[in-house]
Amino acid sequence: MVLGALWLLAFVLAARQAAAVLRLPPDERLTDLETWIGDEGVLHVSGSLYDGDAFTGTPFSGLVLKPLTRAAEQSLGVAWTFGTLLLVVALGLVAARALPGPVSRRTSLLAAPLGICLLVLSLPVRNTFTLGQTSIIPVLLVVLTVLPRTSGRQAGVLIGVAAALQPALLLFAVVMWLVGRRRAAALAGATFAVCTALAWALMPRDSWTYWVHHIGGAGLGAPADSLANQSLHGLLLRIGFEGPAELALLALLAVTVAVVGLRRAVRYARDGQLLLATAITGCVALAVSPTSWQYQQLWILPAVVGRVGKRASDRLVWPVLVVLVMSLDRTALLPDIDVLGHIGYNAPLLAALAATCVVPFLSRTSPRWDDPEPTPVAEPAKSRFAWVPLLRVLKRPLSRPNLMLELMLIRVGYFAYSWIRGHAPGERSVAEGHGHQVLTVEGWLHIDIEHWFNAIVADTAWLKGSMNWYYSTFHFLIPLSLLGWLYVRRPATYRWARTPLAIATMLALVGFWLYPLAPPRLMDLGFVDTAHGPQDLENPDFGALTKLSNQYAAMPSLHVGWSLWCGVVIAIVAPYVWAKVLGMLYPLLTTAVIVGTANHYVLDAVGGAAVVSAGFGLQYLLLGVGKRPHEEAPPLSATMGAAVARARGLVPGLVPRRGGQHDDAGPVEEAQSAADEPPKGGDPRVELHDQRV
């Protein structure tokens, strides 16, 4: 069933990408094909390929790709689009066959459709489809060489042809030489030389321009300092280096990256991880090339096959990071802050450098290759209803989740929330109509206090200022601080608490989409926007906030929803009565603030409370977790101390259970026993669950 669903998803994504290209007008689809089939394209010019500024490939690529592009001209890009799609599918199938063995039957079956899905979603492939580039061809040629049935002679020819299309790929011949396949490496060099010489013989002027005048294509195309160029050369230019100093620093960095990266590629190739070695070598080529445009960055994606981390909970960090970098733009990866913006702008290059020089991929001989340290989990909690929980196959982890993975998922989740909230239907007439409906219902319920309370706040300076500060500050500060404290001090409770928060936020997005609602301050009924002053409601871009988010996403109020979630969690985990009282006062104060500042109606607060209640309720139905778990991990310091104690042989590795039986103790139980006292009995529901990736 899962296999069929993955293949269906791969087909849908591929068909959607092809349709997105073909539904464009002929003059707007495959724009880089104008380099070939336009009035001044390769197929029609009588002079040099490089007389214009569009063509950046080698003379050999211009020679061998003319027939393909002539077919594209005749079919208006239809054949080109489906041909590219077939190349993507072939690349996914070949990469799945090249996984380092041994692999389970389930992995071998799921690898191909999953790989095709990741390829279609990746920015390099999407860019290739949109522009009509040919960058998938050299990648496929090289990946074919790692198949078990590819002979040394075939591998040499394939790499030589790929290098003739993209010269930096000669680095693969260097790797082959270093791993002992010297005949294949020599054949690769000879094939490259023959292809290049053929291009010199048939296109001498173009070859001189490319190899001599531009020194291997440097300076062709867009400016090298543009953000699209994800190479070391482009990075140094963007930082501000130029002239001889930039060239000297580039040479030093390029040599360092090449030496370190190729040595690692050789190590993993000898270890049998040929696909990972291929990805590392491709990342080296991206970094040291003068220009590495987005459609050439596909080499980073195969690095997901590398295994990183000794714990099962850490295995997903590197694959998730690579997939996010390869499929999302910088605004989705990191907040739009100056310091973080530089990281986001150069994320592909940084990922390539990490794979090349930094990430400690496991060797197949490592004892943790197939046997990572397991994550302690608890069986689904029993409830008073026999049919709860619905998802009995899911076991609840008890240990602290990986921080990097958690931050990545939170960031991407918040970006998705912001995007959906900003793109929810926002027609003014519909939103104002819903506003009148809410006011009518509140009048019938005799709770329409918004106008009266807003007037009091607007006329009281200290109340107005404090509420404005509260509204703009606490909405993110309190939930994030609480999540951070739970992560450090109460990891099991953190896992329990974050799930209903995520469910409530997703339910709120449904409300934003289905019921766009104008808040009181935008209803032109005499309400005072205490924070932003009068709004020009006749102007579609009223106020500065309109450019940041959808102002008609008012029902339900997540200010109240998130504050209620905080209040419930604080009331449950706080050790003191006064802290519990403050926790429950927080959503009440938030409700007063959103109504007093004319940002929400009273019923919006009711909606916020409803989605949070639904979040806790759905968690109970699906997972059977109705209250805070008893299994609590100690602080990070205690966990580290327990690890040191165990390394010295001071903490036993087994926790006794009733009846003389024993369970392997995870880091949570070991640390707890070291921090408190020797356990007298374990929880029979707790077992170790091996989460293999």
Side-chain angles (χ1 to χ4, degrees):
M1 182 177 178
V2 175
L3 179 62
L6 273 178
W7 275 114
L8 178 61
L9 178 61
F11 175 79
V12 170
L13 291 175
R16 179 185 178 278
Q17 184 60 59
V21 175
L22 295 177
R23 68 185 178 187
L24 295 173
D27 57 341
E28 296 181 14
R29 72 174 68 140
L30 307 174
T31 53
D32 275 13
L33 277 183
E34 289 296 314
T35 304
W36 299 86
I37 64 179
D39 294 337
E40 302 297 328
V42 174
L43 297 179
H44 303 294
V45 298
S46 56
S48 173
L49 298 174
Y50 308 103
D51 286 342
D53 59 354
F55 185 71
T56 60
T58 63
F60 179 74
S61 65
L63 178 67
V64 301
L65 296 177
K66 278 187 177 183
L68 297 178
T69 50
R70 183 170 286 109
E73 181 182 37
Q74 296 170 354
S75 63
L76 298 178
V78 175
W80 188 278
T81 300
F82 284 102
T84 304
L85 185 60
L86 291 177
L87 289 176
V88 171
V89 173
L91 181 59
L93 294 174
V94 172
R97 291 286 305 276
L99 291 176
V103 296
S104 64
R105 174 176 173 80
R106 179 182 180 184
T107 300
S108 62
L109 290 176
L110 298 180
L114 183 59
I116 294 172
C117 291
L118 294 179
L119 285 171
V120 175
L121 290 173
S122 66
L123 289 173
V125 169
R126 283 150 54 190
N127 189 263
T128 297
F129 269 105
T130 303
L131 299 180
Q133 283 289 343
T134 60
S135 55
I136 296 178
I137 296 177
V139 178
L140 180 58
L141 292 176
V142 173
V143 174
L144 283 171
T145 64
V146 304
L147 291 178
R149 296 185 179 181
T150 303
S151 64
R153 179 178 301 178
Q154 293 170 335
V157 172
L158 290 172
I159 288 178
V161 174
L165 298 173
Q166 190 175 337
L169 301 187
L170 270 177
L171 290 172
F172 284 97
V174 176
V175 173
M176 296 181 71
W177 182 276
L178 295 176
V179 298
R181 303 178 66 184
R182 299 191 173 182
R183 289 186 178 180
L187 183 58
T191 303
F192 168 78
V194 170
C195 293
T196 304
L198 178 63
W200 270 95
L202 299 178
M203 308 170 70
R205 179 185 173 188
D206 296 322
S207 298
W208 175 271
T209 301
Y210 183 87
W211 292 107
V212 179
H213 181 68
H214 284 285
I215 315 178
L220 293 174
D225 61 348
S226 66
L227 291 174
N229 179 19
Q230 292 291 304
S231 67
L232 288 172
H233 180 48
L235 175 64
L236 293 178
L237 292 176
R238 288 192 292 273
I239 292 176
F241 291 94
E242 58 183 11
E246 189 269 335
L247 294 178
L249 183 57
L250 174 62
L252 177 62
L253 291 177
V255 170
T256 302
V257 170
V259 171
V260 174
L262 294 184
R263 289 185 64 181
R264 281 163 54 89
V266 170
R267 183 199 316 164
Y268 292 115
R270 289 173 175 169
D271 187 53
Q273 302 184 61
L274 298 180
L275 187 58
L276 177 59
T278 299
I280 292 176
T281 308
C283 289
V284 173
L286 287 176
V288 303
S289 296
T291 54
S292 297
W293 309 117
Q294 188 176 71
Y295 52 82
Q296 297 172 326
Q297 296 163 15
L298 191 57
W299 293 107
I300 305 172
L301 190 57
V304 297
V305 301
R307 297 190 184 184
V308 184
K310 297 181 180 180
R311 299 189 308 168
S313 57
D314 298 335
R315 287 290 174 90
L316 285 176
V317 176
W318 172 248
V320 169
L321 176 63
V322 173
V323 171
L324 293 181
V325 170
M326 287 291 95
S327 57
L328 301 177
D329 58 24
R330 68 170 188 87
T331 58
L333 293 173
L334 292 169
D336 192 11
I337 304 175
D338 290 340
V339 176
L340 298 178
H342 294 293
I343 300 177
Y345 283 128
N346 300 288
L349 173 61
L350 296 178
L353 292 176
T356 300
C357 305
V358 178
V359 180
F361 298 111
L362 290 176
S363 169
R364 293 173 64 201
T365 59
S366 169
R368 295 303 182 189
W369 172 264
D370 279 326
D371 188 26
E373 295 179 6
T375 300
V377 297
E379 293 288 350
K382 295 182 180 180
S383 66
R384 66 181 64 183
F385 305 105
W387 47 274
V388 174
L390 297 177
L391 302 180
R392 298 180 182 274
V393 296
L394 296 181
K395 299 180 180 181
R396 179 164 49 89
L398 299 177
S399 63
R400 184 175 288 106
N402 183 280
L403 180 59
M404 180 64 69
L405 181 61
E406 205 73 6
L407 292 177
M408 286 190 295
L409 295 180
I410 289 175
R411 170 57 198 168
V412 174
Y414 180 72
F415 171 78
Y417 157 76
S418 302
W419 189 91
I420 295 175
R421 186 177 189 272
H423 289 78
E427 186 176 347
R428 177 184 172 187
S429 59
V430 175
E432 288 185 348
H434 291 161
H436 288 293
Q437 291 177 2
V438 170
L439 289 173
T440 300
V441 174
E442 289 188 349
W444 181 72
L445 296 173
H446 302 289
I447 58 173
D448 52 337
I449 62 171
E450 291 87 356
H451 200 284
W452 164 77
F453 190 44
N454 175 242
I456 293 177
V457 173
D459 293 338
T460 309
W462 68 268
L463 191 57
K464 172 183 175 181
S466 60
M467 283 195 172
N468 289 340
W469 178 81
Y470 183 107
Y471 183 84
S472 61
T473 304
F474 281 16
H475 181 47
F476 293 104
L477 178 62
I478 301 299
L480 291 178
S481 299
L482 181 57
L483 284 171
W485 183 85
L486 290 174
Y487 180 86
V488 174
R489 303 290 299 185
R490 297 287 187 270
T493 302
Y494 170 83
R495 289 182 179 271
W496 164 80
R498 67 175 178 175
T499 303
L501 179 64
I503 295 175
T505 303
M506 290 188 290
L507 292 177
L509 292 177
V510 177
F512 298 156
W513 197 276
L514 298 179
Y515 197 78
L517 174 64
R521 61 186 178 83
L522 300 180
M523 284 293 292
D524 197 17
L525 295 176
F527 291 96
V528 178
D529 187 344
T530 60
H532 310 101
Q535 301 284 346
D536 182 9
L537 302 183
E538 299 301 326
N539 182 358
D541 293 328
F542 51 83
L545 285 179
T546 315
K547 301 177 181 179
L548 301 178
S549 63
N550 182 0
Q551 297 301 291
Y552 294 143
M555 171 64 81
S557 169
L558 278 184
H559 279 78
V560 172
W562 290 1
S563 65
L564 178 60
W565 173 85
C566 292
V568 171
V569 174
I570 292 173
I572 291 176
V573 302
Y576 305 109
V577 175
W578 62 266
K580 297 178 183 291
V581 172
L582 286 180
M584 295 311 299
L585 284 177
Y586 177 43
L588 298 178
L589 290 174
T590 302
T591 302
V593 168
I594 65 169
V595 175
T597 56
N599 280 283
H600 285 281
Y601 305 94
V602 174
L603 286 182
D604 294 347
V606 176
V611 295
V612 170
S613 301
F616 282 105
L618 285 175
Q619 177 181 241
Y620 174 71
L621 291 177
L622 297 177
L623 304 176
V625 182
K627 58 182 180 179
R628 179 174 66 95
H630 295 293
E631 299 85 6
E632 292 293 347
L636 289 174
S637 58
T639 304
M640 295 175 62
V644 174
R646 182 176 182 180
R648 295 176 178 176
L650 300 179
V651 179
L654 296 177
V655 177
R657 294 175 57 184
R658 292 185 179 91
Q661 298 177 356
H662 293 77
D663 279 346
D664 291 340
V668 175
E669 291 81 6
E670 293 169 356
Q672 188 68 51
S673 61
D676 298 327
E677 60 181 4
K680 298 180 180 180
D683 187 345
R685 297 179 302 166
V686 180
E687 66 177 16
L688 291 180
H689 181 56
D690 189 355
Q691 295 181 346
R692 293 185 178 139
V693 179

